[in-house]
Amino acid sequence: MTGGSSRNLRLADWVYTFLSREGAKTTQEIKDYINHVEHVYIQHPSKTAKKSFNSYSSHQIAQVVSRSPLFKKVGMATNTYRTQKAKASLWDVVPIEQVVDALENKKHILRKIQPRPIKLEMQRRRNNGN
């Protein structure tokens, strides 16, 4: 996922920040964080925090992390939902330098819209190169 809708790019940014800080997590753990911690907006200082009307599903998060070069599968974990136990993939981040190196070595033209970690690393490289 080197481009995409702004909603998915924002989600990739949030997930990248979360996994960078917390380490490998399952899709369910990522969904709980995004929908209950990150995805809360404050409209005005005099008002209390307002929950967003939109939320992200496990399927949407799984598609973003499985298609983005920012993330890699690092193993499996047992997830319990109600009384059912199932295997779930553990996702972690790929070092941003490695991601940008791989993108720069591709033959096709990069899209203008990139996730924030990729944009910041490319800007850093441009500034250091001059």
Side-chain angles (χ1 to χ4, degrees):
M1 180 194 90
T2 56
S5 76
S6 61
R7 184 171 157 93
N8 286 343
L9 290 174
R10 198 173 317 122
L11 177 61
D13 295 344
W14 290 340
V15 173
Y16 191 84
T17 303
F18 175 60
L19 293 180
S20 295
R21 187 177 59 239
E22 299 292 324
K25 298 286 182 191
T26 64
T27 305
Q28 183 66 37
E29 292 168 325
I30 295 169
K31 183 186 90 154
D32 290 342
Y33 171 77
I34 295 296
N35 289 337
H36 297 111
V37 177
E38 182 67 41
H39 207 49
V40 174
Y41 297 110
I42 299 173
Q43 279 190 334
H44 192 269
S46 64
K47 296 180 182 178
T48 59
K50 175 189 165 240
K51 192 83 172 134
S52 173
F53 291 114
N54 301 319
S55 61
Y56 292 93
S57 68
S58 294
H59 298 289
Q60 186 175 7
I61 292 170
Q63 285 298 316
V64 168
V65 297
S66 68
R67 298 290 178 232
S68 176
L70 294 170
F71 309 104
K72 64 181 174 185
K73 190 186 301 187
V74 293
M76 301 295 279
T78 302
N79 229 2
T80 304
Y81 180 71
R82 295 186 182 154
T83 59
Q84 301 291 323
K85 291 188 178 195
K87 292 287 184 184
S89 299
L90 280 172
W91 296 97
D92 203 359
V93 295
V94 175
I96 194 64
E97 296 82 15
Q98 192 177 4
V99 173
V100 173
D101 288 342
L103 289 175
E104 288 177 344
N105 291 334
K106 290 195 173 201
K107 293 179 183 178
H108 63 76
I109 298 170
L110 293 176
R111 292 183 181 184
K112 286 183 181 179
I113 301 172
Q114 300 288 336
R116 185 170 171 73
I118 293 175
K119 277 199 274 190
L120 293 175
E121 176 63 19
M122 292 176 111
Q123 286 175 353
R124 187 190 67 77
R125 287 182 183 200
R126 259 185 264 131
N127 292 341
N128 287 345
N130 292 334

